[in-house]
Amino acid sequence: MAALKILVIPGSLRTGSLNARLAAVAAYELAQAGAEVTRISLADFPLPIYDGDLQAKSGVPKNAVNLKRMIGVHHGVLIVTPEYNASIPPLVKNTIDWVTRVQDAHEARGQVFRGRAFAIAAASQSRLGGSRSLAALRLILSSCQALVIPNQLALSFAGEAYDDMDRLKHPADIEALAALVRQLIEISQRLM
Ligand SMILES: Cc1cc2nc3c(=O)[nH]c(=O)nc-3n(C[C@H](O)[C@H](O)[C@H](O)COP(=O)(O)O)c2cc1C
């Protein structure tokens, strides 16, 4: 059986990002559970703010095409997003918007999302742990017909959530991440 491939995408470029840190921990757990994990940075896929005139003039930027193809060679995707003003940051929304505009040969626009397993997680210093950004992201991905798995992780007080080995230290967080990893692997495998 081919290896299960999972793509992990942190939704922040910031040095010391809480979400990039959680993405790293999640990638480790996914690999421990047997997945072949690719963890990227959106810094390697810079995109202009979506503008229909720009698309009409120059087409979809190569980075959006590359990211779409990167998603397409993975069975499942984990997005770890910050929360900005109760929603997802422009980086994450803009990236998704551009990727939905990619149309490869013999494919419908946005086909890469359809029926693909997506897991979502957030990290924030607040008590809510970015859970409102997860609601927004779930809606967006669902509207793209992605299969967003039921389990999700909103990591509260994320700056204090780790031990000195950089592992999650609270049992509830550890269990929530384990459940997310289990379900993403199980559902991605079913869709392989
Ligand atoms: C414009 C802006 C809006 C924010 N709004 C929220 C918010 O609604 N809820 C929240 O929990 N944190 C909010 N924050 C704080 C972020 O969660 C915090 O900056 C976090 O560290 C960003 O993620 P990162 O560490 O992965 O870059 C906001 C930060 C910015 C810059």
Side-chain angles (χ1 to χ4, degrees):
M1 194 172 175
L4 182 78
K5 297 181 73 167
I6 303 288
L7 181 65
V8 177
I9 308 177
S12 172
L13 308 179
R14 193 176 69 81
T15 307
S17 158
L18 298 170
N19 287 277
R21 190 177 186 188
L22 178 57
V25 172
Y28 175 79
E29 294 299 332
L30 283 160
Q32 287 294 104
E36 194 179 306
V37 180
T38 312
R39 179 160 52 101
I40 60 167
S41 167
L42 292 178
D44 294 324
F45 300 86
L47 289 165
I49 291 289
Y50 182 82
D51 171 356
D53 288 345
L54 182 65
Q55 186 189 347
K57 199 169 116 210
S58 320
V60 176
K62 192 75 191 137
N63 281 335
V65 175
N66 289 342
L67 185 54
K68 178 263 173 191
R69 291 179 185 162
M70 171 85 80
I71 293 170
V73 297
H74 289 79
H75 303 101
V77 180
L78 168 63
I79 300 179
V80 188
T81 182
E83 178 170 286
Y84 281 6
N85 296 315
S87 189
I88 58 171
L91 172 71
V92 177
K93 182 63 163 59
N94 190 54
T95 300
I96 293 172
D97 288 345
W98 271 120
V99 172
T100 62
R101 307 314 288 172
V102 178
Q103 186 167 21
D104 270 328
H106 315 298
E107 277 187 12
R109 209 176 260 152
Q111 189 164 313
V112 76
F113 291 97
R114 292 189 198 151
R116 193 174 307 280
F118 277 74
I120 56 177
S124 161
Q125 284 289 34
S126 81
R127 191 174 47 82
L128 291 179
S131 52
R132 294 170 302 179
S133 69
L134 294 183
L137 184 56
R138 181 175 292 279
L139 178 65
I140 292 161
L141 292 172
S142 300
S143 81
C144 299
Q145 298 177 45
L147 207 159
V148 188
I149 70 165
N151 284 343
Q152 61 183 34
L153 169 60
L155 186 65
S156 313
F157 310 116
E160 293 79 49
Y162 299 89
D163 63 17
D164 49 16
M165 302 278 287
D166 231 18
R167 294 172 303 207
L168 290 173
K169 66 181 179 191
H170 302 302
D173 295 337
I174 293 168
E175 180 42 40
L177 178 59
L180 181 88
V181 162
R182 271 198 306 272
Q183 196 171 58
L184 178 58
I185 287 181
E186 183 196 312
I187 294 179
S188 303
Q189 248 159 3
R190 226 187 287 155
L191 297 170
M192 262 174 102

